[in-house]
Amino acid sequence: MDYDRELLTGTVGVLILSLLAERAMYAYEMLQEAERRSAGTFRLKEGTIYPALHQMERTGLLQATWRESPEGRSRKYYTLTSKGRRQAQSKRRQWESLLAAMRAIIGDARA
Amino acid sequence: MTHVRDDLDPDALIERLVAAARLESEAERDDLRRELRAHFEDAGTSPEAARAAIARFGGERAIADSLRRVHHVPASSGGRTRWFRLDEFLQDLRFGLRMLARSPAFTLTAIVCLAVGIGATAAVLGWIEGIELRPFPLVTHEDRLVAITGTTRGDSGRDDMSWPDFLDLQRRGTLFEAFIAEKITGANLSIGDRAERVPGSVVSANYFDALGVHPILGRGFRPGDDVGRNAHPDVVIGYRTWKERMDGDPNVIGRMQIVNGLPHTIVGVAPEDFHGTFVGYSFQFWVPASMQPQHIGAGTDQLEDRGARWIEGFAKLKPGVTIQQAQTEVSAIAAQLEREYPATNRGRGVRLYPLWQTPFNNAGALLPTLGVALAVVLSVLLIACSNVSTLLLVRGLARQPEMTLRLALGAGRWRLVRQLLTEGLVLSTIATVAGFVLAYWGRDALAALTPPRGSPLRLPAEFDWRVFAASGAVAFIATIFFALVPAIMSSRVDLAGALRSQAASVVSARGRHWVRSSLVLLQVSLSFVLLVGAGLLVKSLTRVRDASPGFSTDRVLITGLDLFSAGYDAARAKSFQDRLLERVAAIGGVESAAFSRMVPFSYRTYSSGPIAVDGYDAPADQQPTASYNEISPAYMKTMGISLVSGRDFTTADNESSEPVAIVDETMAARYWRGADPIDKRLIVKGRAMRVVGVAKNTKYRNLLETPAPFFYVPLRQNFSALTLLVIRTAQSPASIAPALAREIHALDGHVAPGEIITMREQVRRTTAAQRIAVTILSVFGLVALGLAAMGLYGVMSSTVSQSRRELAVRVALGAGAPDLLRLVLSRGLLLTASGLVLGLTAAVAMTRLMGYLLYEVSPRDPATFVAALVITAMCGAAACFLPAWHATRIDPLRVLRS
């Protein structure tokens, strides 16, 4: 199914914060993970994740360190800072309320 | 190794992105390089995998832009971001310029709108600076200069001062650095084979020193140069005369120059930027006050006469002295003089004015006009700003995806607002520069709009740092006004908003629509106010034109004849006048002709003096005075002024007969209180005259004056060689000029008539202030209406284009073209009507301020209001019609499918 790209672009920040709330990841890993969990829905233009990650790092939501991946390759891992954790919780709450509202609307429409 | 095309090579892409990000250190560049390499490693290293990874990676340019922007956004420092960074500003500036260049039609429209508004504001501010606030370039401490005139108790107007009173002020004033006397005059300057009538001034000897103006050649006047009847025939000449008429001769000092028939020694040349101290004229000569009898008195000495009032002037306050303190002191001195010289000074006072209220030159005359002009141009600027604001809002809609992306990338709303404000700043900077060019180009427009009185007027706009600073500030405030609201509205995009935008654009646009509608309301109401203002002034000017001044304006021609300057003594002048009247009367079509020292509505001042009437006791503190005109027989008939009772002057009323006078109705009513004044005694300056006639009231100085006592005396009994020739004829000035010149020439080849004009033209020239106001209001009223119509059209067009889906549904459900037309038109007309209601309220409040510019027209004249209402409503309807018609052309199938 084709989604409006703009719709997805607006979710990049929430996506990153949600994934990193679970554990530290590197960029490609996040892309793969998002695609896997959304059963292919979140197939972003992959390059857009880098400006978003760098921006969040600069604003103090994330911090990055180079370390080895389980495959033995050197990867740049991102983790949430305490500010990032707070932001992740806040975004999560916003999304949940928005989704509930959307579900109510769509549900009503179907009914 | 397989050859990989550059655009399919991940390494090449990585290098391009690293370069595009413009990172500051090698370490940062290396970090980004490693991270991106890791990405393509994970995606697979085979050519096919690499190709797929590049395809999934996304648009190189957008990502490069984002990376660059991210790495140039200020990093969080201690949780707070700096609100201004130069590099960011420059980045915004470049981006703004690119965005504006991408839509030239929008950019050009916005710049033209703003340039008109800012340019007009700068021009009016320049005029206010050059005419009202700092009218005299080169004068030092202009801020301490005040204008000074005499006053008469019981009369709200102003009067001139006498020379002895002026000298007493100079001697007794302790709060003043100097008192400066001056009186405007004109002279024939004959240089080589060409004579030119130029304006000049009779001044006190301290004139140049007190003003701090240093002649570029020679000197100013010396102390004592203003003492002794015609004792110091020295002249300082104006720069233009020296440069153009004397070829800038450096050896001109000490040379003789004939001024008003008398040789003067040139003692100095004024600097190029010094034009004297009479707003409106560029003086070409200055002579010391000792030369008053020659230049103003037409032979009579008014230097010793405390009753002769002819001086206007200025005073320079000592540092720190306020105008109120100074006024207290001059009033005290005037009171002393009143006690010391009751015969001449009873009821006489002295008044100080700030320069911008100077009552005796164009500063005071143009003040209300410039006040109205400033209000008008600021309204136009406001309308222009609203228009640009509307354009920016509409454009903001088109840029919503860009804003969404940038917000998603964490740019922050303040960052977006700043970006949009920077674009606004770019627009207003270009418009300000263009506006300044427009204003500078039109700096002499005011002088061009003002009818000249013999000499070209000089009413330039002054563009100094203050005007630039004030206009710049206005432009900056305007930028905030027009750019901030759209910037905030356009940056207000969020996920929820983006979601809603898919549903129906009309709904999503409600917030913006509300703002845009308010802006249109503002435009419609302001342009209505301007139209009402213009309408009232046009009507007032028509009334002024049609008003009867009490004398004939048609078929009466006037021209100056200066026998005094031509060297005539009184006896020769009288003989010349008699013979000329005979010859003029013989010219075909001439019904009558007469001489008078003055004609109504002239810039020169009437003779005036203290009067006494038998049986009339003035209040103890008042000295009755009246102005009078010296006229020859047939003046009344020629001017069309009828006599209520008694008789006109005849040739028998001459030097050897009993002094007589004709009083006007106001004078008769005030001093004889209803009794018949014929054959009663009138004492003028101690000289008894018998009243022989009562004349109808006329206007003497301008159409708006209130009636004041006035009388006439025979020219022969009060002789002047500086007179005007008045001719009653059906001929035009142009057709009679050759015959008149021929007759004068036949009597004396060295005498030439001045400019020949009709009395109608003479009256017209006194309505300059009203006519300038009419022109300014009409021009800008129309500009405002055009801008408002544009604004309304813009709003209605974008409403229609955003509501295409909704309109298409209506069509699909069976709505016809008339329904759609009605729907859209009613919305536009509702906006117009609301704007008109607002405008009506504002106009009722604001037109009261124009009262002093209106003549026999109420500031709430219903006909004018209705006319403005109809014009604005029609313009509004026209602006809505086109978008409404477009709405009827919507193809529902295509719209709903898209």
Side-chain angles (χ1 to χ4, degrees), chain A residues 4 6-7 9-10 26 28 31 44-48 50-51 54-55 58-59 66 73-76 78 95 102, chain B residues 31-32 34-35 38-39 41-43 55-58 63 66 70-71 73 75-76 401 405 408-410 495 499:
Chain A
D4 187 287
E6 209 173 87
L7 204 70
T9 314
Y26 54 92
Y28 195 79
L31 292 167
L44 290 173
K45 287 291 175 194
E46 293 175 351
T48 55
Y50 292 98
H54 294 188
Q55 174 62 32
R58 285 174 74 87
T59 50
W66 283 92
R73 291 169 179 164
S74 184
R75 291 289 176 265
K76 193 176 182 181
Y78 291 87
W95 264 95
M102 287 301 294
Chain B
D31 190 80
L32 178 60
R34 279 177 71 194
E35 188 175 27
H39 177 100
E41 251 177 56
D42 289 340
R56 287 200 311 274
F57 199 76
I63 292 165
S66 301
V70 163
H71 287 277
V73 163
S76 151
L405 179 67
L409 293 177
L495 197 59
L499 273 168

Side-chain angles (χ1 to χ4, degrees), chain B residues 22-190:
Chain B
R22 291 190 203 151
L23 296 166
E24 278 168 17
S25 68
E26 187 50 46
E28 283 178 298
R29 283 190 286 276
D30 198 43
D31 190 80
L32 178 60
R33 204 174 279 124
R34 279 177 71 194
E35 188 175 27
L36 295 176
R37 273 194 193 137
H39 177 100
F40 287 103
E41 251 177 56
D42 289 340
T45 47
S46 69
E48 292 73 28
R51 202 173 299 134
I54 287 174
R56 287 200 311 274
F57 199 76
E60 179 185 336
R61 190 172 165 179
I63 292 165
D65 275 351
S66 301
L67 277 172
R68 186 168 55 244
R69 207 166 289 132
V70 163
H71 287 277
H72 285 86
V73 163
S76 151
S77 54
R80 294 172 62 169
T81 45
R82 278 159 60 192
W83 72 275
F84 180 80
R85 270 178 51 152
L86 184 66
D87 56 342
E88 252 179 54
F89 174 71
L90 292 175
Q91 192 189 351
D92 284 349
L93 200 64
R94 280 191 295 269
F95 185 72
L97 281 170
R98 268 207 310 274
M99 288 309 288
L100 294 176
R102 233 179 260 174
S103 38
F106 157 80
T107 308
L108 195 69
T109 314
I111 287 175
V112 168
C113 283
L114 290 174
V116 167
I118 293 172
T121 308
V124 173
L125 287 177
W127 281 323
I128 290 175
E129 178 79 351
I131 292 168
E132 304 293 342
L133 301 179
R134 281 170 193 81
F136 311 130
L138 298 192
V139 168
T140 54
H141 304 297
E142 210 174 346
D143 51 326
R144 288 197 269 125
L145 207 61
V146 293
I148 182 167
T149 71
T151 61
T152 305
R153 199 169 292 135
D155 180 1
S156 59
R158 58 108 189 165
D159 203 351
D160 291 340
M161 288 188 299
S162 72
W163 181 250
D165 283 354
F166 171 78
L167 293 179
D168 281 326
L169 280 174
Q170 243 180 1
R171 275 191 288 267
R172 300 182 196 186
T174 60
L175 302 178
F176 299 85
E177 259 181 28
F179 283 92
I180 305 153
E182 79 155 356
K183 181 67 186 177
I184 182 173
T185 184
N188 282 314
L189 274 189
S190 305

Side-chain angles (χ1 to χ4, degrees), chain B residues 240-273:
Chain B
R240 184 177 65 79
T241 297
W242 173 68
K243 199 75 187 169
E244 292 176 9
R245 306 291 308 279
M246 299 170 179
D247 298 324
D249 181 357
N251 301 314
V252 76
I253 303 301
R255 196 179 287 171
M256 285 305 199
Q257 172 64 47
I258 305 285
V259 187
N260 271 344
L262 192 78
H264 286 62
T265 308
I266 297 175
V267 296
V269 175
E272 183 173 7
D273 290 330

Side-chain angles (χ1 to χ4, degrees), chain B residues 670-878:
Chain B
R670 182 172 303 179
Y671 295 112
W672 285 277
R673 296 180 176 130
D676 186 5
I678 304 293
D679 290 335
K680 298 282 179 357
R681 199 166 65 136
L682 167 68
I683 298 163
V684 182
K685 293 181 184 173
R687 182 180 174 214
M689 301 174 178
R690 185 167 60 88
V691 177
V692 295
V694 178
K696 288 282 274 184
N697 280 341
T698 73
K699 302 283 185 189
Y700 302 100
R701 294 174 182 86
N702 60 66
L703 285 166
L704 308 182
E705 72 186 11
T706 47
F710 192 90
F711 63 100
Y712 302 87
V713 294
L715 183 61
R716 275 301 169 90
Q717 292 178 351
N718 306 268
F719 191 69
S720 172
L722 183 63
T723 52
L724 289 135
L725 176 61
V726 190
I727 303 168
R728 189 173 192 84
T729 175
Q731 290 193 47
S732 70
S735 62
I736 202 166
L740 185 62
R742 196 175 55 242
E743 296 304 334
I744 292 172
H745 217 74
L747 290 173
D748 186 339
H750 298 294
V751 177
E755 185 192 15
I756 304 174
I757 59 168
T758 60
M759 271 313 287
R760 175 172 294 285
E761 172 64 16
Q762 174 86 344
V763 172
R764 203 181 70 94
R765 288 178 181 185
T766 61
T767 58
Q770 284 99 331
R771 284 195 297 122
I772 293 171
V774 164
T775 311
I776 289 174
L777 260 174
S778 308
V779 167
F780 286 112
L782 289 176
V783 168
L785 190 67
L787 287 175
M790 251 171 75
L792 192 59
Y793 171 77
V795 165
M796 293 318 296
S797 294
S798 68
T799 305
V800 167
S801 75
Q802 283 164 47
S803 319
R804 286 165 70 82
R805 201 168 273 271
E806 176 193 330
L807 294 168
V809 172
R810 282 172 187 269
V811 175
L813 292 175
D819 301 318
L820 294 187
L821 206 62
R822 202 177 311 117
L823 181 77
V824 178
L825 267 181
S826 63
R827 188 160 178 179
L829 290 178
L830 184 70
L831 261 183
T832 312
S834 317
L836 282 175
V837 170
L838 258 180
L840 207 66
T841 323
V844 168
M846 286 171 75
T847 49
R848 271 187 310 164
L849 304 175
M850 292 173 46
Y852 42 75
L853 280 172
L854 298 180
Y855 175 72
E856 288 186 355
V857 176
S858 157
R860 295 177 186 181
D861 181 59
T864 309
F865 271 70
V866 169
L869 205 78
V870 170
I871 294 174
T872 316
M874 279 168 61
C875 262

